[in-house]
Amino acid sequence: MGINFLFLFSTAMIAGLLVFIFPSFREKYFKLLLVFAGSYLFSITILHIIPELFDSGYSSTRMGLYILIGFLFQQILEFWSSGIEHGHIHKHHSETSKGVITLMIGLFIHAFLEGTLLSHGTAMAEESLVAGHSHSDKTVLLGIIMHKGPAAFALAAVLSASLSKRWTIILLTLFALASPLGMFSSAFFISQGILSKEGIGLLYGLVTGGFLHISTTIFFESSPHHKFQLNKLLVTFLAAGLAIASEYLI
């Protein structure tokens, strides 16, 4: 779990600090990176997370409901964060202190919840073994890292437009700590028996729904006029291929 903390925290911090190193970034390349991350996140959700979710002894009806709630809840969070989770860079959002507060609340809740996926995946390992397969969180960790990097960059770009460098780094650090905090907190609650199996399943479903919302939103927004773009198509297939390889070959 310590390695997971290192990867989660350092990815967000390094990606966010790149804003100060490359203030004039090429938006075209950033969007391609978003498409790659979105494709990988969507692919592992379909190939890895959802099958494990429905193969772990939970009620299929309840899990479907939890995923739907997570999908809709992510929509609510994005009203606060203006979609920074999937790379939106809106310079105007952080002009007021109220805007910064709501932005950080939305992002922190999202990042905290996705961190729980790494800890309760370990708690579900016994269920996975009973079902006939072993659980590994490496695929999920890579998906979260790919998603977290562009989000941290977008956050730093938004904050640096109206806040000092010092406050931008402070808030970036808070965001970077959110997923590890979710991971450690849920692991503690599980180990102490505070979170029941049903509670774990609820968290899993909420995060899965959020992943589906974020990844599909990236797809839709990458081609707003539905024009064929070969580079985005190739990046999408490359990320999906990586997800398939990580699930079935590694």
Side-chain angles (χ1 to χ4, degrees):
M1 196 169 289
I3 295 296
N4 289 352
F5 168 82
L6 179 63
F7 279 125
L8 290 171
F9 181 77
S10 60
T11 296
M13 289 302 298
I14 292 172
L17 292 175
L18 286 177
V19 167
F20 300 107
I21 301 175
F22 304 105
S24 301
F25 67 96
R26 294 291 296 277
E27 187 176 355
K28 179 178 71 172
Y29 299 129
F30 182 68
K31 286 185 176 180
L32 286 178
L33 178 61
L34 279 177
V35 171
F36 185 89
S39 179
Y40 184 85
L41 189 63
F42 179 80
S43 299
I44 65 167
T45 301
I46 299 298
L47 295 173
H48 182 86
I49 299 175
I50 291 180
E52 185 172 90
L53 182 67
F54 285 94
D55 200 25
S56 298
Y58 297 105
S59 166
S60 297
T61 303
R62 287 185 180 179
M63 285 302 102
L65 176 61
Y66 294 157
I67 292 173
L68 177 59
I69 292 174
F71 188 93
L72 297 175
F73 183 59
Q74 181 58 39
Q75 180 68 55
I76 295 174
L77 291 180
E78 291 187 9
F79 286 132
W80 296 338
S81 65
S82 287
I84 284 181
E85 299 94 326
H86 43 83
H88 275 191
I89 300 179
H90 296 305
K91 301 289 187 179
H92 63 275
H93 185 88
S94 58
E95 290 179 353
T96 65
S97 58
K98 182 180 178 181
V100 172
I101 292 173
T102 56
L103 184 152
M104 290 304 301
I105 289 175
L107 282 179
F108 189 90
I109 293 174
H110 164 72
F112 183 92
L113 286 175
E114 72 181 11
T116 66
L117 194 62
L118 294 172
S119 62
H120 67 68
T122 302
M124 292 173 66
E126 294 182 3
E127 300 290 342
S128 300
L129 290 172
V130 171
H133 60 85
S134 60
H135 175 88
S136 172
D137 64 357
K138 293 184 178 63
T139 301
V140 178
L141 175 63
L142 181 58
I144 293 176
I145 287 175
M146 286 185 180
H147 156 59
K148 203 169 187 65
F153 184 89
L155 173 63
V158 169
L159 295 177
S160 62
S162 57
L163 297 178
S164 66
K165 183 176 181 180
R166 176 189 175 190
W167 272 107
T168 298
I169 293 176
I170 290 174
L171 294 177
L172 175 65
T173 303
L174 182 62
F175 171 70
L177 288 171
S179 290
L181 182 60
M183 178 179 64
F184 288 124
S185 297
S186 56
F188 174 77
F189 291 145
I190 291 169
S191 66
Q192 298 300 311
I194 299 173
L195 265 179
S196 64
K197 179 181 177 180
E198 191 68 22
I200 296 171
L202 172 60
L203 280 175
Y204 208 167
L206 290 177
V207 177
T208 302
F211 281 176
L212 287 175
H213 187 286
I214 291 169
S215 58
T216 52
T217 300
I218 291 173
F219 283 149
F220 294 145
E221 293 182 344
S222 66
S223 300
H225 304 294
H226 306 287
K227 292 182 179 179
F228 176 78
Q229 294 177 292
L230 181 60
N231 56 351
K232 290 183 179 179
L233 185 64
L234 292 176
V235 167
T236 299
F237 285 170
L238 177 62
L242 177 61
I244 293 171
S246 65
E247 179 65 18
Y248 295 107
L249 301 180
I250 299 177

